[in-house]
């Protein structure tokens, strides 16, 4: 039986009882609600929730669960001539979502920015026969094993022509973004870079819910890594977090501002 943590959406194998704890939530980069840990089965989630879709570019769709569930992030389908890539993951894999993704041609690969969005990645991979690419630095946070999981090392991994995962670190040691080089470049950032409410800046945190910052040296390294790639657009983890022009310059200036504030 698969049970989901209601606070973060991570999936766990359970027997006849709910898991005693969620390791993801007990880490200081997430949190255990004041009401305590709570669980829901995948079937119950699909019965009470559905996924909505949005088209951002001819080659880019997002999907998120409604009503809100757990961290409430969105996932993306990046369409390429070599196959579709799922970037980040949401817990609800219902029948409608299976039908729609199959109609789009299925999935070539799954890649995830960091452990908060692992959710039910194992089930998505099994459904679409798609390998999951996770950075090896974050392997301790995999709560369910799967033969579809591939751990990669280093700083970049190419998934398709002009499409690569870039490890930035920061929020997690293996924290990564997805870069598409064509058409001026786009960056799918998860919340390794957090788009601010005005969508005219980004910020960087070790823990977002507990408001714990990253050191200046880490921000310098993140912005240095990103200076090597071009991207005019950036899409963040949550609905509305879309920077549609000058994104690379905005990230550079945001990094400078963050470091100045720390100083």
């Amino acid at each position: 039986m698969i049970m989901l943590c209601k606070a973060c959406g991570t999936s766990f194998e359970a027997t006849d009882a709910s898991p005693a704890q969620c390791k993801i939530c007990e880490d200081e980069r997430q949190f255990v609600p004041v009401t305590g840990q709570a669980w829901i089965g995948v079937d119950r989630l699909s019965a009470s929730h559905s996924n909505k879709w949005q088209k951002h570019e001819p080659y880019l769709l997002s999907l998120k669960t409604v009503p809100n569930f757990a961290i409430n992030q969105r996932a993306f389908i990046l369409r390429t001539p070599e196959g579709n890539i799922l970037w980040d993951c949401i817990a609800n894999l219902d029948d409608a979502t299976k039908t729609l993704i199959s109609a789009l041609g299925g999935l070539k690969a799954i890649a995830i920015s960091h452990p908060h969005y692992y959710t039910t990645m194992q089930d998505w991979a099994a459904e679409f026969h798609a390998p999951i690419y996770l950075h090896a630095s974050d392997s301790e946070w995999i709560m369910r094993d799967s033969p579809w999981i591939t751990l990669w090392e280093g700083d970049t991994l190419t998934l398709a022509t002009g499409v690569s995962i870039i490890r930035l670190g920061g929020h997690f040691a293996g924290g990564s973004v997805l870069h598409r080089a064509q058409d001026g470049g786009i960056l799918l950032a998860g919340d390794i870079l957090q788009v601010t409410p005005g969508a005219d800046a980004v910020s960087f945190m070790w823990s977002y819910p507990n408001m714990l910052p990253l050191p200046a040296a880490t921000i310098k390294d993140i912005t240095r890594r990103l200076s090597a790639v071009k991207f005019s657009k950036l899409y963040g983890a949550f609905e509305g977090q879309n920077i549609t022009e000058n994104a690379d310059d905005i990230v550079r200036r945001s990094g400078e501002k963050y470091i100045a504030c720390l100083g």
Side-chain angles (χ1 to χ4, degrees):
M1 179 171 58
I2 305 302
M3 299 296 290
L4 306 173
C5 171
K6 293 179 75 172
C8 70
T10 301
S11 62
F12 291 79
E13 292 276 4
T15 54
D16 56 349
S18 297
Q21 59 191 34
C22 174
K23 179 180 175 180
I24 300 291
C25 287
E26 291 184 342
D27 178 70
E28 286 186 302
R29 284 163 286 193
Q30 180 52 16
F31 65 94
V32 176
V34 293
T35 52
Q37 207 81 61
W39 307 90
I40 186 172
V42 290
D43 291 341
R44 282 186 56 206
L45 178 67
S46 292
S48 59
H49 291 68
S50 60
N51 294 333
K52 73 173 187 177
W53 292 70
Q54 185 175 359
K55 184 176 181 180
H56 301 279
E57 310 286 347
Y59 52 83
L60 186 67
L61 302 158
S62 68
L63 61 158
K64 71 175 293 290
T65 299
V66 292
N68 295 350
F69 177 70
I71 295 174
N72 196 40
Q73 76 274 10
R74 55 185 175 176
F76 287 89
I77 301 288
L78 179 65
R79 308 193 68 188
T80 83
E82 296 158 40
N84 299 320
I85 297 168
L86 176 69
W87 173 249
D88 282 335
C89 196
I90 56 177
N92 185 39
L93 177 57
D94 57 17
D95 288 341
T97 301
K98 294 174 185 178
T99 299
L100 288 167
I101 292 179
S102 294
L104 291 171
L107 297 177
K108 162 191 170 63
I110 298 169
I112 302 181
S113 60
H114 70 293
H116 289 162
Y117 302 157
Y118 287 175
T119 64
T120 56
M121 59 181 179
Q122 302 88 345
D123 305 318
W124 291 72
E127 175 68 25
F128 298 107
H129 301 106
I132 307 166
Y133 295 98
L134 307 177
H135 199 277
S137 296
D138 293 337
S139 61
E140 69 177 289
W141 303 104
I142 299 169
M143 298 294 102
R144 288 171 58 204
D145 198 10
S146 166
W148 296 101
I149 292 174
T150 296
L151 298 177
W152 66 280
E153 298 180 341
D155 291 332
T156 61
L157 177 70
T158 298
L159 294 182
T161 302
V163 179
S164 58
I165 312 172
I166 304 172
R167 187 192 71 85
L168 298 181
H171 185 34
F172 275 81
S176 301
V177 296
L178 191 70
H179 179 247
R180 180 187 188 270
Q182 299 92 332
D183 302 322
I186 68 164
L187 206 67
L188 304 182
D191 59 7
I192 305 305
L193 285 68
Q194 183 72 265
V195 178
T196 61
D200 58 355
V202 300
S203 193
F204 320 79
M205 297 287 279
W206 184 75
S207 172
Y208 291 102
N210 295 309
M211 294 178 284
L212 299 172
L214 287 164
T218 301
I219 305 308
K220 288 179 181 177
D221 188 54
I222 287 173
T223 53
R224 177 188 62 80
R225 292 171 189 265
L226 287 176
S227 68
V229 296
K230 297 298 292 181
F231 53 98
S232 59
K233 299 180 180 182
L234 184 152
Y235 293 91
F238 301 102
E239 190 171 32
Q241 290 191 339
N242 310 323
I243 298 176
T244 56
E245 57 184 3
N246 302 320
D248 46 5
D249 186 56
I250 286 171
V251 169
R252 178 188 58 78
R253 289 189 284 106
S254 296
E256 292 172 351
K257 180 68 173 179
Y258 188 102
I259 292 168
C261 288
L262 289 178

